[in-house]
Amino acid sequence: MPELLAVLTIALLATISPGPDFAMVSRNSLLLSRRAGVITALGIGLAVLVHVSYTLLGVGVLIRQSIWLFNAIKLAGAVYLIYLGIRMLRAKPAGDLAAAEVAPLSDLGALRVGFLTNLLNPKTTIFIVSLFMQVIRQDTPLHVQIGYGVFIAALHIAWFSAVALFFSTRRVRDRLLAVRHWIDRVFGGLLVAFGLVLATARGQR
């Protein structure tokens, strides 16, 4: 029971803490559609399952102990976030609503954005690996550990789907879409900032 409560508490706090995942889901659901936001959330959940899988297979230990491998993951994540952020920062105002439409994103594109944003986020790597190595006991049955992993992924999907539902409500969108180019720039700036923090945080795990 103490282990279960620890996993539930840590997973909840880690999931709802602001970061690149929150920025991407909020942006896609607000400027694109509720569907795009929810599918982005699904991509995040799938990426969490990848983190859990390589941790259970023992790769997480290698990542934790290998500075160069961890830094490579961190650099890849930083480059991806900065790339997405710069694209958003280039958003321009338009004279009318039709001209101001944001470039559409396919379901596969939304899934890919959510998946890569989480997969390349070293903070998620640290969270998952540390949770399974330091909180979950080694003698915990494998099926229970898998259950923890599925729960964490489902928690991410549920939370970020709720975020998508909020930002895609008519009242919120009607109030904010008039300044959509500034919204894109704000989220773009946040992603660039996240990327720069990752790129400059040398040797920190």
Side-chain angles (χ1 to χ4, degrees):
M1 184 60 68
E3 178 184 274
L4 176 60
L5 291 177
V7 171
L8 295 179
T9 302
I10 295 173
L12 178 61
L13 294 176
T15 301
I16 66 176
S17 62
D21 294 340
F22 184 88
M24 286 308 307
V25 172
S26 301
R27 184 264 179 186
N28 285 351
S29 55
L30 178 61
L31 299 185
L32 296 174
S33 67
R34 175 172 297 179
R35 181 182 180 89
V38 172
I39 293 178
T40 302
L42 179 60
I44 291 171
L46 292 177
V48 171
L49 287 178
V50 174
H51 289 296
V52 172
S53 297
Y54 68 65
T55 299
L56 291 178
L57 291 173
V59 180
V61 178
L62 176 62
I63 294 175
R64 186 177 178 85
Q65 296 179 347
S66 175
I67 295 178
W68 73 265
L69 180 56
F70 178 80
N71 284 335
I73 296 173
K74 183 175 65 176
L75 181 60
V79 170
Y80 181 68
L81 292 178
I82 292 173
Y83 163 73
L84 290 178
I86 291 176
R87 288 185 59 186
M88 295 181 194
L89 285 171
R90 296 174 62 186
K92 299 179 179 179
D96 57 72
L97 187 62
E101 289 295 333
V102 178
L105 190 65
S106 66
D107 289 351
L108 181 60
L111 186 72
R112 182 175 61 250
V113 166
F115 181 80
L116 291 178
T117 299
N118 185 274
L119 184 68
L120 297 176
N121 186 354
K123 289 186 177 181
T124 306
T125 301
I126 295 171
F127 159 58
I128 297 294
V129 173
S130 298
L131 182 69
F132 277 82
M133 291 183 62
Q134 298 178 4
V135 178
I136 300 175
R137 299 190 307 272
Q138 293 184 349
D139 59 349
T140 298
L142 180 60
H143 70 275
V144 175
Q145 296 189 44
I146 293 175
Y148 287 151
V150 172
F151 166 77
I152 295 170
L155 182 62
H156 277 74
I157 294 174
W159 166 250
F160 289 112
S161 292
V163 171
L165 292 176
F166 172 77
F167 279 99
S168 62
T169 56
R170 181 176 298 274
R171 178 176 297 181
V172 174
R173 298 189 81 225
D174 288 347
R175 290 185 177 182
L176 296 178
L177 284 184
V179 290
R180 62 179 64 194
H181 62 286
W182 284 113
I183 294 171
D184 232 352
R185 290 175 182 177
V186 168
F187 284 125
L190 288 174
L191 290 180
V192 170
F194 285 134
L196 291 176
V197 168
L198 289 178
T200 57
R202 297 183 178 277
Q204 296 180 12
R205 285 186 285 179

